[in-house]
Amino acid sequence: MKTLKAIALTFIFLLSTCLSAIAAEISFVAKAENVVTLGEKVLIMFTLNNAESDNINFPSLEGFKILYGPNKSTNSSMSIINGHREQSYSTTWTYYVTPEKEGTFTISPAKATVSGTVYRTNALTIKVIKGEDKPANSGNQNAQQNTTASISNDDVFLRTEISKSKVYEQEQFIATLKLYYRVNINSLEDYKLPEYKGFISQDIEVPNENKYGKENVNGKVYNTLILKQNVLIPQKSGQLDLGKGSVTALAQVQVNSQRGGWPFDGFFTQTRLVQKTLNIPNVSVNVQPLPDKNKPENFNGAVGSFQISSSKTPTEGYKTNEAITIKLKIQGSGNIKFAKAPKINFPEDFETYDPKIDNSIKASENGISGTKTIEYLAIPRYPGEYVIPAAEFSFFDVKTKSYKKLKTEEYKLTIEKGADVAASTVSNYTNKESVKYSDSDIKYINQKNYSLSPRNEYFYGSLAYALWFIIPLVLFVVVFFFLRKLAAENSNIALVKNKKANKLATKRFKAAKEHMDKDNKSGFYEEISKALYGYVSDKMNISATELTKNNVKTELSSHNVSEETTNEFIKMLDTCEFARFAPSAVSSSMQDIYNEAVDLVGKLENEITAVNLQK
């Protein structure tokens, strides 16, 4: 009986092991360093997980000399979590190679056949750079350098690399802040990064595997680390500086002990932590203005490479008082997020609304790219044949250095009569109590006290009698004209927005303060920006699609706002725009920016009100 029980348990164990192996995911991967130096020993590994195969095809390692391999090794592991058994195993084939020349080499995928299924590894790209030329007495020099705990500027430094040194206004380029080091860096702190004034900046999320590398600089090989990478878009022409900065590095340095004298010199070593301030040098960019020649009239500042398409909803069966949506999609790479949306001139018999704009973009080492979606909502009020003209979008193509025009298709619509919109009515009802009579013949004597008046004096014809008619009439006239004025003002959307501009700005400032209390920098700066832009949009009747800093500056000047206040307002917009993408680089606190923005809106309100009173 015990023998049968042991056999059963063994069978169950083997079965569970097989099932866990079957359930495990099979994969075949290759690994190697991305950047190596000429003459360096390089490790290349091909690992097959959770499967066995006797049919392995390795790629030719062209450009590399094989020093050793392939060496096969296996590894297995098993774990039990909550009674569930998980087992995994892998087989690794290892090569040691050395590059034969400089350049970038691609190693093709290896292939493994498992139960008739072919699995392939990822391809490997290895960049080979020139190695360091070491002098014959380098050992003595290193010994001398290690006697003091210091770091030279050749051991570690910072550099800002730009993808282009000559660009057009609004043309994007990449700025990469990179650390070069030949010593062990313990930590980096006290960041004071360039402010990138005059640029719109958006951070790029660099994957960890792409942050580290090696480079040969002036005959010396450095390890490199990307600290920050940004897409920059210049907002004006001229020679623009990215700005300076600094980072404090803490490095571990080995120092040889001088104890014991010769022959023990260099035998005893100790490690010291050395602090060094690394300066970020300034980099200048030559920004050219966009050419005026052949510039389209509807050019809205878009620079890059774009495509446009349109669609409508519904596709057929149009009726009065039913909404029609025209959707535009602008796709491409460039300053797509900041490009103004094209206009669609709907027929006059269509009631239109402000467009809804949605940006789906991302920043990568290739720049900003994605899709801007604009939805226009319109409601036809009368039946008939109508044409919705094509939307036009112009941009400056940096590749061809010329302006290009894009057009969507026009839509011919037949609007049929739909259901009428019921007019709003106001009804007034008065409840009247029915007169009741008692069945008794004799009424009770009313014992209430009556007020008596002199003889021949009657209420009819008196002054009080006349006032009973005159006062309601006067009140009716006053209320009538008041309601008429109120209806006229409410029908004037621009006037309504103008009156509510300050109130809406205050509401947005309240939302910004809530974000500030929660230390939500992104939400805080977004609400401050909305408050400023929204105040100008409501106060001066500027459409949301036309809210650019140039238009805002023009409108403020046309309303006789002082140049000083106008410049402060534009500067605040720049600060909020910059802080939304790089909050840590803003020197002012959120409380200071909040107070300054509130004071600025109050100053604008006072100046605009004073001008209106003079008129």
Side-chain angles (χ1 to χ4, degrees):
M1 187 67 180
K2 292 182 178 180
T3 303
L4 292 175
K5 186 176 181 180
I7 293 174
L9 291 174
T10 303
F11 176 76
I12 293 172
F13 174 77
L14 293 175
L15 180 61
S16 63
T17 302
C18 293
L19 290 175
S20 63
I22 293 172
E25 182 180 359
I26 299 175
S27 62
F28 197 21
V29 295
K31 291 183 180 180
E33 287 192 53
N34 295 330
V35 182
V36 299
T37 58
L38 192 62
E40 179 183 353
K41 184 187 291 186
V42 182
L43 175 63
I44 302 177
M45 296 188 296
F46 301 94
T47 303
L48 178 63
N49 296 307
N50 304 314
E52 293 183 357
S53 174
D54 295 328
N55 187 6
I56 305 290
N57 294 322
F58 295 106
S60 61
L61 304 177
E62 186 176 353
F64 297 87
K65 180 181 178 181
I66 299 177
L67 302 177
Y68 175 77
N71 180 43
K72 182 180 178 181
S73 62
T74 59
N75 181 43
S76 63
S77 63
M78 182 179 65
S79 61
I80 301 176
I81 302 175
N82 296 329
H84 178 68
R85 185 188 307 273
E86 293 185 359
Q87 183 175 6
S88 63
Y89 62 95
S90 62
T91 306
T92 302
W93 291 266
T94 304
Y95 282 92
Y96 281 97
V97 300
T98 182
E100 297 179 321
K101 57 182 178 180
E102 297 179 47
T104 302
F105 301 91
T106 300
I107 299 176
S108 303
K111 300 177 183 178
T113 304
V114 180
S115 301
T117 303
V118 178
Y119 293 88
R120 292 178 173 83
T121 66
N122 51 294
L124 295 174
T125 301
I126 302 176
K127 183 179 180 181
V128 180
I129 63 175
K130 183 180 178 181
E132 182 174 347
D133 298 329
K134 296 183 179 180
N137 61 345
S138 61
N140 295 333
Q141 289 181 354
N142 289 337
Q144 294 173 2
Q145 290 176 357
N146 287 337
T147 59
T148 58
S150 63
I151 306 175
S152 69
N153 293 332
D154 289 336
D155 291 330
V156 57
F157 60 89
L158 291 170
R159 179 184 291 178
T160 300
E161 299 176 353
I162 56 177
S163 59
K164 296 179 181 179
S165 59
K166 187 177 181 180
V167 297
Y168 282 97
E169 187 178 346
Q170 297 294 331
E171 178 186 356
Q172 63 180 359
F173 65 96
I174 309 300
T176 304
L177 178 60
K178 192 179 293 185
L179 173 70
Y180 292 79
Y181 59 99
R182 288 159 49 86
V183 293
N184 293 328
I185 301 298
N186 185 276
S187 64
L188 298 172
E189 55 189 32
D190 195 18
Y191 285 80
K192 295 178 182 178
L193 303 181
E195 296 183 0
Y196 300 143
K197 290 184 178 180
F199 299 88
I200 289 176
S201 172
Q202 182 150 347
D203 291 344
I204 299 174
E205 292 186 6
V206 183
N208 287 330
E209 59 270 18
N210 296 339
K211 287 183 177 181
Y212 298 90
K214 291 182 180 179
E215 290 186 25
N216 188 309
V217 181
N218 299 327
K220 296 181 179 181
V221 177
Y222 289 85
N223 296 308
T224 61
L225 170 63
I226 296 177
L227 299 182
K228 190 176 181 62
Q229 197 169 46
N230 296 79
V231 178
L232 299 182
I233 302 175
Q235 297 301 292
K236 57 183 178 180
S237 58
Q239 196 76 14
L240 301 185
D241 295 332
L242 270 62
K244 299 180 180 181
S246 64
V247 177
T248 301
L250 294 177
Q252 288 183 344
V253 180
Q254 282 190 344
V255 183
N256 291 333
S257 174
Q258 300 298 321
R259 292 183 300 172
W262 187 89
F264 300 102
D265 288 347
F267 183 78
F268 298 100
T269 61
Q270 59 181 347
T271 301
R272 292 185 183 177
L273 200 60
V274 179
Q275 178 175 301
K276 185 175 179 61
T277 300
L278 308 177
N279 294 320
I280 304 173
N282 177 51
V283 177
S284 297
V285 181
N286 183 9
V287 183
Q288 296 178 301
L290 294 173
D292 293 327
K293 184 179 180 181
N294 299 324
K295 181 185 289 187
E297 292 183 359
N298 63 345
F299 176 69
N300 58 12
V303 176
S305 179
F306 304 101
Q307 294 178 340
I308 190 171
S309 61
S310 68
S311 62
K312 66 181 187 301
T313 304
T315 56
E316 58 184 11
Y318 308 102
K319 296 182 179 180
T320 58
N321 303 317
E322 294 183 1
I324 298 173
T325 301
I326 305 296
K327 181 184 291 186
L328 302 183
K329 282 189 176 182
I330 303 174
Q331 296 175 301
S333 175
N335 63 341
I336 183 171
K337 181 178 180 180
F338 310 101
K340 290 172 56 179
K343 291 183 178 180
I344 296 181
N345 296 319
F346 287 92
E348 292 184 356
D349 291 340
F350 282 54
E351 184 178 346
T352 60
Y353 300 87
D354 289 340
K356 177 185 176 183
I357 301 176
D358 180 43
N359 291 299
S360 177
I361 64 172
K362 64 177 182 178
S364 67
E365 58 183 2
N366 297 320
I368 296 176
S369 60
T371 303
K372 179 189 282 286
T373 304
I374 309 105
E375 292 186 8
Y376 299 87
L377 181 67
I379 301 176
R381 293 306 186 190
Y382 301 98
E385 301 288 336
Y386 297 94
V387 175
I388 299 178
E392 294 185 355
F393 180 73
S394 300
F395 67 94
F396 182 77
D397 191 339
V398 294
K399 294 180 179 179
T400 62
K401 298 181 180 180
S402 62
Y403 293 97
K404 291 186 177 180
K405 282 185 179 181
L406 301 177
K407 266 189 177 183
T408 63
E409 60 178 313
E410 67 175 19
Y411 296 109
K412 295 181 179 179
L413 308 179
T414 300
I415 309 297
E416 298 178 354
K417 185 175 178 58
D420 292 334
V421 179
S424 59
T425 58
V426 179
S427 300
N428 184 24
Y429 297 93
T430 303
N431 294 325
K432 295 184 179 181
E433 184 181 359
S434 299
V435 178
K436 296 181 181 180
Y437 297 93
S438 62
D439 294 334
S440 58
D441 293 335
I442 301 175
K443 308 295 181 182
Y444 289 101
I445 298 174
N446 194 338
Q447 298 179 350
K448 293 181 179 179
N449 295 325
Y450 287 95
S451 59
L452 302 177
S453 58
R455 186 178 179 181
N456 297 327
E457 290 187 8
Y458 302 98
F459 176 72
Y460 177 78
S462 65
L463 178 60
Y465 176 82
L467 291 177
W468 274 100
F469 291 96
I470 296 174
I471 292 176
L473 180 62
V474 172
L475 290 176
F476 173 78
V477 173
V478 171
V479 171
F480 173 78
F481 283 104
F482 174 76
L483 293 177
R484 185 175 180 180
K485 181 182 178 182
L486 186 62
E489 290 180 354
N490 289 337
S491 64
N492 188 344
I493 298 177
L495 183 59
V496 173
K497 287 184 175 182
N498 183 292
K499 288 187 174 182
K500 294 183 178 181
N502 197 30
K503 186 176 181 180
L504 292 176
T506 302
K507 186 177 181 181
R508 292 187 177 110
F509 280 135
K510 184 178 179 181
K513 191 175 187 306
E514 292 177 357
H515 287 296
M516 180 177 64
D517 294 338
K518 298 177 182 178
D519 199 25
N520 181 3
K521 295 183 179 180
S522 178
F524 170 76
Y525 289 114
E526 183 177 357
E527 288 297 335
I528 291 292
S529 182
K530 284 182 179 180
L532 297 176
Y533 273 118
Y535 174 80
V536 175
S537 174
D538 296 336
K539 198 71 177 178
M540 302 179 182
N541 193 26
I542 305 176
S543 172
T545 59
E546 298 178 353
L547 274 179
T548 63
K549 282 180 278 189
N550 289 334
N551 288 349
V552 169
K553 191 172 184 179
T554 302
E555 288 294 333
L556 290 175
S557 299
S558 65
H559 284 73
N560 294 326
V561 176
S562 66
E563 184 177 356
E564 179 184 357
T565 304
T566 301
N567 292 335
E568 289 180 6
F569 192 87
I570 298 300
K571 182 180 178 182
M572 178 59 68
L573 292 177
D574 289 336
T575 300
C576 292
E577 194 72 42
F578 176 77
R580 289 174 62 187
F581 300 110
S584 61
V586 177
S587 59
S588 300
S589 65
M590 287 191 289
Q591 184 64 54
D592 292 338
I593 291 178
Y594 175 83
N595 294 337
E596 187 177 349
V598 172
D599 293 341
L600 192 55
V601 169
K603 188 184 296 184
L604 277 177
E605 182 74 16
N606 292 336
E607 291 190 18
I608 295 173
T609 303
V611 171
N612 292 335
L613 290 176
Q614 291 176 1
K615 293 181 179 181

